[in-house]
């Protein structure tokens, strides 16, 4: 979805809406990408959700687990969940075939729907279908900013129960340090 932009950092607000378009989740994150690696820095105290009460967040904070870093590493066939507050991490293997799809590559079909403006940036609103050799794996509508290397400032995906919308701001085309995609050496492995 990010096209030729192989390295960037941005703020992203992820909103989830139910089938009636009522917002059920708002989660701001820091998003960092380098080639196929993605890092999400999440502070659960910033999350707004009917599913998570203030007492649940307070319990996570007390346990040192309110801050979470998710690092997607298709080259290592896993996602790391890193908990800086307790200096530990989990390693979640990717589903069978998921890592291979990234290595072999996915095909992207983009169809322009309209011209639009988002956050003052001229955009082309596109219907995007990402496919592997078995068919579509992701369908979305993107708002690609023509003045920001065609970067998708907003990505909206319809799910069975509703809609997920990711809105990117403060986009910086910088190459992040590769260490950001590694588990700190002193952190313990959680089983």
């Amino acid at each position: 979805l990010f096209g030729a932009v192989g390295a960037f950092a941005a703020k992203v607000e992820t909103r989830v809406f139910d089938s009636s378009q009522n917002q059920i989740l708002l989660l701001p994150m820091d998003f960092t990408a380098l080639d196929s690696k993605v890092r999400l820095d999440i502070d659960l105290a910033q999350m707004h959700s009917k599913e998570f009460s203030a007492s649940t967040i307070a319990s996570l904070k007390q346990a040192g687990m309110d801050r979470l870093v998710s690092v997607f590493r298709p080259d290592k066939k896993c996602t790391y969940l890193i908990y800086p507050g307790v200096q530990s991490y989990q390693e979640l293997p990717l589903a069978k075939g998921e890592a291979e799809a990234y290595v072999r590559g996915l095909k992207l079909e983009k169809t322009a729907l309209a011209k639009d403006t988002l956050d003052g940036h001229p955009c082309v609103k596109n219907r995007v279908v990402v496919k592997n050799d078995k068919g579509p794996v992701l369908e979305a509508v993107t708002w690609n900013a023509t003045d920001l290397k065609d970067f998708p400032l907003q990505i909206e995906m319809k799910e069975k129960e509703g809609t997920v919308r990711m809105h990117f701001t403060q986009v910086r085309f910088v190459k992040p340090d590769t260490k950001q995609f590694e588990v700190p050496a002193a952190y313990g492995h959680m089983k």
Side-chain angles (χ1 to χ4, degrees):
L1 293 178
F2 298 103
V5 179
F8 70 91
K11 300 280 186 190
V12 63
E13 276 192 351
T14 300
R15 295 175 188 264
V16 179
F17 301 89
D18 65 16
S19 58
S20 301
Q21 292 303 301
N22 296 311
Q23 181 175 297
I24 56 175
L25 174 75
L26 167 62
L27 182 59
M29 299 177 271
D30 290 332
F31 193 111
T32 309
L34 178 62
D35 303 320
S36 63
K37 302 174 206 68
V38 174
R39 175 186 169 120
L40 302 173
D41 288 82
I42 303 164
D43 180 355
L44 295 175
Q46 301 295 313
M47 177 176 59
H48 300 284
S49 171
K50 294 175 183 166
E51 304 283 320
F52 281 83
S53 66
S55 63
T56 302
I57 301 295
S59 295
L60 288 168
K61 188 171 186 140
Q62 187 174 11
M65 299 186 79
D66 58 323
R67 297 190 63 86
L68 167 68
V69 178
S70 174
V71 179
F72 175 68
R73 292 292 305 262
D75 58 323
K76 294 191 175 192
K77 297 183 169 86
C78 72
T79 296
Y80 297 120
L81 295 180
I82 304 168
Y83 301 94
V86 291
Q87 295 192 349
S88 59
Y89 72 98
Q90 291 177 293
E91 187 174 329
L92 307 175
L94 296 182
K96 185 172 170 68
E98 193 174 353
E100 288 77 17
Y102 281 90
V103 172
R104 280 197 310 263
L106 299 167
K107 293 186 175 78
L108 183 126
E109 294 176 0
K110 189 163 43 169
T111 308
L113 301 174
K115 292 190 183 220
D116 204 348
T117 301
L118 185 61
D119 300 334
H121 297 280
C123 294
V124 176
K125 185 176 174 183
N126 294 292
R127 179 177 178 272
V128 176
V129 179
V130 179
K131 297 179 178 181
N132 63 16
D133 52 357
K134 293 182 178 116
V137 294
L138 174 80
E139 293 186 35
V141 174
T142 61
W143 283 256
N144 296 83
T146 57
D147 63 338
L148 292 175
K149 302 181 182 182
D150 210 30
F151 186 86
L153 287 178
Q154 187 163 281
I155 300 169
E156 190 171 279
M157 298 164 283
K158 299 283 185 204
E159 304 287 333
K160 289 178 186 168
E161 292 84 34
T163 305
V164 176
R165 181 182 304 141
M166 298 174 72
H167 185 115
F168 293 85
T169 58
Q170 300 177 34
V171 179
R172 298 176 319 280
F173 298 111
V174 295
K175 185 174 181 180
D177 188 334
T178 57
K179 290 179 188 168
Q180 290 188 56
F181 302 93
E182 300 291 340
V183 174
Y187 282 29
H189 188 259
M190 295 170 64
K191 300 268 180 192

